[in-house]
Amino acid sequence: MWRWVRQQLGFDPPHQSDTRTIYIANRFPQHGHYVPQKFADNRIISSKYTVWNFVPKNLFEQFRRVANFYFLIIFLVQLMIDTPTSPITSGLPLFFVITVTAIKQGYEDWLRHKADNEVNGAPVYVVRSGGLVKTRSKNIRVGDIVRVAKDETFPVDLVLLSSDRVDGSCHVTTASLDGETNLKTHVAVPETAVLQSVANLDKLVAVIECQQPEADLYRFVGRITISQQIEEIVRPLGPESLLLRGARLKNTKEIFGVAVYTGMETKMALNYKSKSQKRSAVEKSMNSFLIIYLIILLFEAILSTILKYAWQAEEKWDEPWYNGKTEHERNSSKILRFISDFLAFLVLYNFIIPISLYVTVEMQKFLGSFFIGWDLDLYHEETNQRAQVNTSDLNEELGQVEYVFTDKTGTLTENEMQFRECSINGIKYQEVNGKLTPEGFSEDSPDGNMHSLMKEEELFLKAVCLCHTVQINADQTDGADGPWHANGIASPLEYYASSPDEKALVEAASRVGVVFTGTSGDSMEVKSLGKPERYKLLHVLEFDPNRRRMSVIVESPSGEKLLFTKGAESSILPRSKSGEIDKTRVHVDEFALKGLRTLCVAYRRFTPEEYQEICKRLHEARTALQQREERLADVFNFIERDLELLGATGVEDKLQEKVQETIEALRLAGIKVWVLTGDKHETAVSVSLSCGHFHRTMNILELVQHKSDSTCAEQLRQLAKRIKEDHVIQHGLVVDGTSLSLALREHEKLFMEVCKNCSAVLCCRMAPLQKAKVVRLLKTSPEKPITLAIGDGANDVSMIQEAHVGIGIMGKEGRQAVRNSDYAIARFKFLSKLLFVHGHFYYIRIATLVQYFFYKNVCFITPQFLYQFFCLFSQQTLYDSVYLTLYNICFTSLPVLIYSLFEQHVHPHVLQSKPVLYRDISKNAHLGYKPFLYWTILGFFHAFIFFYGSYLLMGEDTSLLGNGQMFGNWTFGTLVFTVMVITVTMKMALETHFWTWINHFVTWGSIVFYFIFSLFYGGIIWPFLHTQDMYFVFVQLLSSGSAWFAIILIVVACLFLDVVKKVLYRHLQPTSTEKAQLTETSSGINCLDSMCCFSDGETACTSVRRMLERLMGRCSPTRVNRCGISLNSLCCRRFSYKLEPDEPAAIDV
């Protein structure tokens, strides 16, 4: 029991050894003292709470927030000591916030429980007692033999034992794991592949030894020992034998596999990633402001306590005749009385800390994030993909980006490869009408007969057709004449590949006469000019990013053993000993300058002795349980040497639409763009020039091919000197992966100095972790700029997670980037609207929201502080306890929430067409200490006017009521509160630029609701209230003409100076945003989509549609027609608005 508790707490992990031993079908040895290992069950748990721990765990998490914990302390103080306000005033708002948050989190966790139960209760079939037994997924144990049928998902991580195919192979798709839709082939070891029936499998006696669970989807090290009669056969197990939970079986009737990892130990579960706890700059500012206001609160409480005792130093005020002290009060400790009074003042002023700020900000972020998904401008029609929001906590951070780090392939480009040219035996070729034509030659007969290929050309194309991981759709059949046509018509065979480069090359080879027609068992079939050939596949040396190449060893029809290798020129050319190496290197550089992606192809012939040595080494490395990767790398290097170079390929990856315009817009917005790519130097530079990342007039500086610290440091110093000497020309920097590693090792500061003085930086030959290091380097620099990383592949995940904001592109390299990102878009061009429109709006909205909350609470509590000077600091409250409770919850909450959702201070079309406006909000300009100080001083100023204006106008007037009665303290407090509610609501109205009917409803409705509530609250005797100090107070207040005059005069006095300040600043020191607002107004865009503006003959339905169009970002007048298609059901036929001179007078929708 104690061990189980320790395991649950994480002190005693269940796995002590590096490997696990699995007895297939749980046939444990009968001899010796065998102790079975403990494995996890197969339940998936993604939920956070249980029925038993929800309340304590959720409360603990919520009270870790400073504001919640602070109000809890205040509530407890009110319960323990005699305070001027009821505990309800603090307890009710706290209970409301805690309850709303708990309900939200509880509902989300209930959905997770529901999903878990569906997965854990799914029916599965396992082999037990010689037959198939139906059970639930959660009951599968490690060692069970599981049957999976076609199109079913694997319920656990399985080692493949057999399939319905003779060779024991099967096809799976891992789209739900890594997003790759291509079919992957998995194979069983030959000894178990023949066991295709339940009866035979039930007799299997075998043991699997493998590594303990780890998260890497593509790594698995193990071996299987099969007992056959008197001998034991040992076979290696690798990733090709492992079927991952969550993957789906395709093109295979059924398979049998043994469970090796279950439940939360499966690779899918280990890859569960809780959303990164990124904190926005606004949240950090908000916490700083809370601390400042806490200091103000403590200062006011201490000052009030000191002044109380200073005032009571006079005997007549210490114990006045009408309020004598009890004997207990006279004998109590002065220190205890001081502490008690201090706590009482703390409770009296505690509402200066806005408890509802957190819940309002959460609601604003959650509801506001829907607008990104609804924006039709971010919808990609071709792929039917819309923008996704995975983390709503960072909406406003989109408006603060200073650096953009972008991948190249699939992000700036389409990742749609097209074969353009190749180099074979030192001669450049191009594809012309389905034929390989040497450069400089023209093909006169586009529909000519099948032409012959030279020996070198045929060998090159066979290497391309054999060295790959391409799959063919199993539903297609091979016709009598084969799929190849000589006239250049594309092959009808449908190829699948995880690499678009491989697919483009195999398709190109098929068009020119060498067709890959599929695999049969351990053979690969090709047709060379219609003649079928069968190559036996002996070994596959898988691609890895360190070697940057892949190889296959095949046996030709003549029995010759051949190695075909394909990879980056930097990994192939140095290993080649013959062939046209120099000419090919020149051609590769020429391809790269054209922006083509390059690969080199080589081969090697083995003697029988060499092949036997290779087989021996490969078997030893692949059956090793320790350091298998290192041993395999050594063997691969031993095999892939002394190559004969065949040639190189050049494949084009087209730029995405509007990439150049987007990068230029980012530059105008003051955002620096860094391109981080794994491509070679020349290709990356060429693409950077074509996409506008580098300008032709830019001075390109290079930090490449450095092998030592000294040369790298010297080059950096020279670059820094050149940049300082030339202040006119823009500089661009190119750095490769090896030089970057040297620069970051000992010369980080110098490297950063060079980079920051460059307009654009291109990093090529980058490994995934290097991308993350570069982002972290900028992120943690002294200036601490806000960074954004955008990419589409699994190699971009580390960069996306490291940046302040991570954006995934829904591309063709899988969905790992999308799943690990904060936001996901379909194309790079959508980045401009995401930042310049949505980011701009979100930042302005939440900056105003946060500062307005502090402003209205200063207005709220400062009159309470001033009132103490008139009541001898007796802790008498100015407002009724109900008003104290409902001020932030009801009376002033909705206008600011609606503002923070709908406000558009500048038209979206203007923001996107003028990226320079983005600079106005950069570096947290609207939420720094200067605007915060302005709002705070404004709050104190308005509070002084509320209090002293009411006091001077009505405080000493004894003839305000018709019966001669003068106002009491509750009437005075209600007057101050009424003025305050109207003023802070009108202040929000002054800040609003974009008015909809919703804004009108909540703004004026909040004021009306306050008056109606006060009339009912004070006009009726409520039996459940212990005391009712406010009975008929509000009715008497409104019956006085002087009170109405005071309310109007004080509200105007408060807002008049604010209006004057705004007018003067707009005319004397206008920002570029305010200038854009004036331009917008003069061009007729003002009120375009506002639902408060009705043109003649319009229906209310028209305004509803206009608001929906505006919310979805369809704000340009020229695009309203397109938006109307999706909103036509809203019944409106025709509408008109103020137009540009060259536009029609009305638009039909």
Side-chain angles (χ1 to χ4, degrees), residues 1-72:
M1 179 66 183
W2 175 242
R3 183 185 176 190
W4 180 85
V5 171
R6 288 179 59 83
Q7 286 181 5
Q8 299 303 309
L9 295 174
F11 298 124
D12 188 14
H15 307 301
Q16 302 296 333
S17 63
D18 294 330
T19 62
R20 58 168 51 186
T21 303
I22 301 159
Y23 293 86
I24 294 180
N26 291 307
R27 289 191 177 87
F28 303 116
Q30 301 300 319
H31 58 278
H33 300 285
Y34 172 72
V35 179
Q37 289 178 283
K38 298 291 185 181
F39 301 120
D41 60 27
N42 198 38
R43 287 180 302 159
I44 287 292
I45 302 172
S46 62
S47 55
K48 192 175 181 181
Y49 307 105
T50 66
V51 175
W52 311 109
N53 71 8
F54 174 73
V55 172
K57 192 173 182 180
N58 187 266
L59 289 178
F60 173 74
E61 290 176 350
Q62 292 208 55
F63 284 118
R64 288 166 65 185
R65 281 184 167 176
V66 176
N68 289 349
F69 184 72
Y70 162 77
F71 269 89
L72 177 64

Side-chain angles (χ1 to χ4, degrees), residues 511-529:
R511 290 194 298 269
V512 297
V514 181
V515 184
F516 169 63
T517 57
T519 58
S520 176
D522 58 355
S523 298
M524 301 180 74
E525 298 176 355
V526 297
K527 285 188 177 181
S528 179
L529 300 178

Side-chain angles (χ1 to χ4, degrees), residues 117-152:
N117 291 335
E118 287 181 8
V119 172
N120 296 329
V124 295
Y125 289 90
V126 298
V127 177
R128 287 178 185 165
S129 304
L132 275 179
V133 177
K134 186 176 181 180
T135 184
R136 293 188 175 186
S137 174
K138 64 182 180 182
N139 298 327
I140 298 176
R141 299 169 297 172
V142 171
D144 280 345
I145 299 175
V146 183
R147 172 190 174 270
V148 180
K150 182 180 178 181
D151 291 328
E152 290 181 353

Side-chain angles (χ1 to χ4, degrees), residues 263-459:
M264 298 307 292
E265 292 181 344
T266 58
K267 289 183 179 288
M268 182 183 76
L270 293 174
N271 275 277
Y272 282 162
K273 178 175 169 52
S274 56
K275 292 302 174 188
S276 53
Q277 297 300 312
K278 298 179 180 179
R279 294 175 62 213
S280 68
V282 168
E283 188 177 346
K284 295 172 186 175
S285 299
M286 196 165 70
N287 291 338
S288 301
F289 299 159
L290 276 172
I291 293 172
I292 293 172
Y293 269 63
L294 192 59
I295 293 171
I296 294 174
L297 169 64
L298 293 173
F299 171 76
E300 289 185 346
I302 293 171
L303 180 63
S304 297
T305 309
I306 293 172
L307 289 175
K308 175 178 181 177
Y309 283 92
W311 209 311
Q312 290 179 354
E314 295 184 42
E315 190 174 346
K316 66 174 183 176
W317 297 123
D318 181 36
E319 190 176 354
W321 61 268
Y322 55 83
N323 191 18
K325 292 182 179 180
T326 63
E327 193 65 28
H328 174 73
E329 289 174 333
R330 291 193 185 96
N331 296 330
S332 62
S333 168
K334 290 187 177 181
I335 295 176
L336 289 177
R337 273 190 291 157
F338 185 90
I339 293 174
S340 177
D341 285 327
F342 168 73
L343 292 175
F345 280 117
L346 204 64
V347 169
L348 192 63
Y349 304 147
N350 79 85
F351 285 96
I352 197 171
I353 306 294
I355 186 176
S356 55
L357 173 60
Y358 278 115
V359 72
T360 307
V361 167
E362 274 197 12
M363 289 175 65
Q364 189 271 343
K365 288 183 175 183
F366 175 71
L367 296 174
S369 63
F370 286 103
F371 296 153
I372 292 178
W374 292 341
D375 191 344
L376 294 181
D377 281 341
L378 302 182
Y379 170 74
H380 191 243
E381 197 167 347
E382 293 176 18
T383 57
N384 191 29
Q385 291 170 330
R386 59 181 186 139
Q388 293 180 13
V389 179
N390 299 327
T391 308
S392 61
D393 293 339
L394 301 172
N395 292 343
E396 65 277 6
E397 207 81 333
L398 293 170
Q400 295 295 294
V401 175
E402 297 172 61
Y403 283 86
V404 168
F405 299 91
T406 175
D407 178 41
K408 183 184 75 68
T409 306
T411 303
L412 300 179
T413 62
E414 289 282 4
N415 204 11
E416 282 186 1
M417 309 301 174
Q418 292 184 348
F419 175 81
R420 289 303 180 202
E421 45 190 320
C422 63
S423 171
I424 304 175
N425 200 29
I427 301 173
K428 285 171 65 176
Y429 292 82
Q430 293 179 333
E431 183 189 355
V432 179
N433 297 320
K435 297 181 182 179
L436 279 182
T437 306
E439 190 178 43
F441 288 80
S442 61
E443 183 60 58
D444 297 327
S445 55
D447 297 319
N449 294 325
M450 191 182 300
H451 66 287
S452 61
L453 292 171
M454 294 173 60
K455 181 181 177 182
E456 295 84 0
E457 296 173 350
E458 187 174 1
L459 184 59

Side-chain angles (χ1 to χ4, degrees), residues 727-952:
H727 299 285
V728 179
I729 301 176
Q730 284 188 327
H731 299 281
L733 177 67
V734 182
V735 57
D736 62 8
T738 55
S739 302
L740 180 70
S741 298
L742 295 171
L744 296 183
R745 191 180 302 166
E746 294 182 7
H747 315 291
E748 190 175 293
K749 193 173 290 185
L750 184 59
F751 176 69
M752 282 302 303
E753 182 186 343
V754 172
C755 289
K756 287 180 179 179
N757 289 318
C758 292
S759 303
V761 177
L762 169 64
C763 300
C764 55
R765 290 299 191 207
M766 296 281 285
L769 286 178
Q770 282 183 312
K771 294 183 177 184
K773 284 182 180 178
V774 171
V775 175
R776 190 183 306 120
L777 183 67
L778 264 292
K779 183 179 169 184
T780 57
S781 62
E783 295 83 4
K784 298 197 181 304
I786 304 299
T787 58
L788 180 148
I790 179 170
D792 73 317
N795 60 333
D796 302 315
V797 169
S798 56
M799 171 178 75
I800 286 172
Q801 291 177 329
E802 183 63 44
H804 291 94
V805 182
I807 296 183
I809 296 286
M810 303 170 193
K812 298 174 182 174
E813 290 191 16
R815 290 300 176 97
Q816 280 197 9
V818 171
R819 287 204 317 272
N820 288 279
S821 65
D822 304 305
Y823 302 88
I825 53 178
R827 287 293 182 269
F828 182 80
K829 66 178 181 179
F830 295 152
L831 185 62
S832 60
K833 182 163 191 185
L834 192 64
L835 298 185
F836 303 153
V837 178
H838 290 287
H840 200 120
F841 283 157
Y842 285 133
Y843 177 74
I844 290 294
R845 290 166 182 168
I846 203 164
T848 307
L849 165 69
V850 170
Q851 294 178 122
Y852 175 79
F853 251 93
F854 285 108
Y855 153 80
K856 71 186 182 76
N857 278 43
V858 168
C859 291
F860 181 40
I861 219 64
T862 303
Q864 186 85 270
F865 172 70
L866 297 175
Y867 184 59
Q868 297 307 304
F869 288 89
F870 293 84
C871 65
L872 292 181
F873 295 92
S874 61
Q875 298 149 9
Q876 168 64 38
T877 178
L878 178 63
Y879 314 120
D880 182 71
S881 59
V882 172
Y883 286 162
L884 282 171
T885 304
L886 298 182
Y887 176 75
N888 278 318
I889 294 178
C890 297
F891 299 146
T892 60
S893 59
L894 278 180
V896 66
L897 177 62
I898 296 301
Y899 169 93
S900 66
L901 291 175
F902 297 144
E903 171 64 1
Q904 296 182 12
H905 63 300
V906 182
H907 195 281
H909 179 67
V910 175
L911 284 177
Q912 198 164 0
S913 61
K914 295 183 178 181
V916 71
L917 298 180
Y918 194 81
R919 296 172 183 254
D920 280 0
I921 61 170
S922 62
K923 299 187 183 299
N924 207 13
H926 288 249
L927 207 56
Y929 283 101
K930 189 175 179 181
F932 169 71
L933 187 63
Y934 164 74
W935 279 91
T936 302
I937 293 174
L938 183 67
F940 280 113
F941 173 70
H942 283 179
F944 273 80
I945 295 180
F946 298 157
F947 185 83
Y948 287 109
S950 301
Y951 180 75
L952 292 174

Side-chain angles (χ1 to χ4, degrees), residues 637-650:
N637 287 329
F638 172 76
I639 297 172
E640 298 166 329
R641 60 190 175 89
D642 300 332
L643 303 174
E644 184 174 341
L645 186 63
L646 291 174
T649 61

